[in-house]
Amino acid sequence: RRKPPTWVKMKTEDVCDHICKLAKKGLCPSQIGVTLRDSFGIPQVRTVTGNKILRILKANGLAPTLPEDMYFLIKKAVAIRKHLDKNRKDKDSKFRLILVESRIHRLARYYKRVKSLPATWKYVSATASALVA
């Protein structure tokens, strides 16, 4: 389906402006999509504008430095690590942290391959909280 639904009355420029406004407020691309869907009645940005939200953000220089899924995995790892500082005996959390961090490393390998992350980027657990602060 290439065309927007007939009941969508917003123009491409208006949608792009809304996306940029929401990005400047600090929303991530998926939250922008949810807001546009719930508040403005735009079912899919791609059908209305011809571009995805992240591409529009990149064109306007508002794209996040870290990819969204990587950001939330790092945030989860930081939260688990903080929990483990208080609860040292929690073996299950320690195991889950290993799983989350291995997922981060695997995703980093992918993003380096597709050039979304610089080749020198490395996940370091000690400095991870600064990345998501």
Side-chain angles (χ1 to χ4, degrees):
R1 184 176 184 132
R2 304 289 162 119
K3 294 187 299 186
T6 52
W7 46 265
V8 174
K9 299 298 179 207
M10 271 185 119
K11 291 189 178 73
T12 303
E13 299 81 38
D14 298 337
V15 175
C16 290
D17 291 342
H18 278 300
I19 289 172
C20 292
K21 260 186 222 161
L22 292 169
K24 285 176 185 165
K25 277 187 186 174
L27 270 67
C28 62
S30 62
Q31 289 172 322
I32 291 172
V34 169
T35 305
L36 289 174
R37 183 195 67 202
D38 295 345
S39 302
F40 300 101
I42 298 165
Q44 278 199 319
V45 171
R46 191 171 50 86
T47 56
V48 178
T49 62
N51 275 323
K52 296 178 180 182
I53 294 174
L54 195 60
R55 284 190 184 147
I56 293 169
L57 292 178
K58 279 182 183 168
N60 291 307
L62 295 168
T65 52
L66 272 177
E68 190 177 353
D69 50 354
M70 176 74 87
Y71 173 83
F72 283 111
L73 275 176
I74 292 173
K75 196 171 174 181
K76 183 184 275 191
V78 167
I80 295 173
R81 207 167 270 287
K82 186 178 169 193
H83 167 79
L84 278 171
D85 287 342
K86 287 185 215 142
N87 309 285
R88 291 197 183 282
K89 284 196 160 192
D90 192 349
K91 300 292 183 202
D92 187 56
S93 288
K94 187 176 180 183
F95 176 68
R96 300 293 162 205
L97 177 68
I98 291 167
L99 294 184
V100 168
E101 287 189 339
S102 64
R103 216 176 303 149
I104 290 170
H105 292 299
R106 192 180 320 136
L107 203 56
R109 207 166 49 231
Y110 164 75
Y111 280 129
K112 285 178 190 175
R113 193 174 68 235
V114 297
K115 307 267 191 291
S116 292
L117 282 176
T120 56
W121 191 88
K122 196 166 177 74
Y123 172 76
V124 182
S125 59
T127 60
S129 57
L131 289 172
V132 294

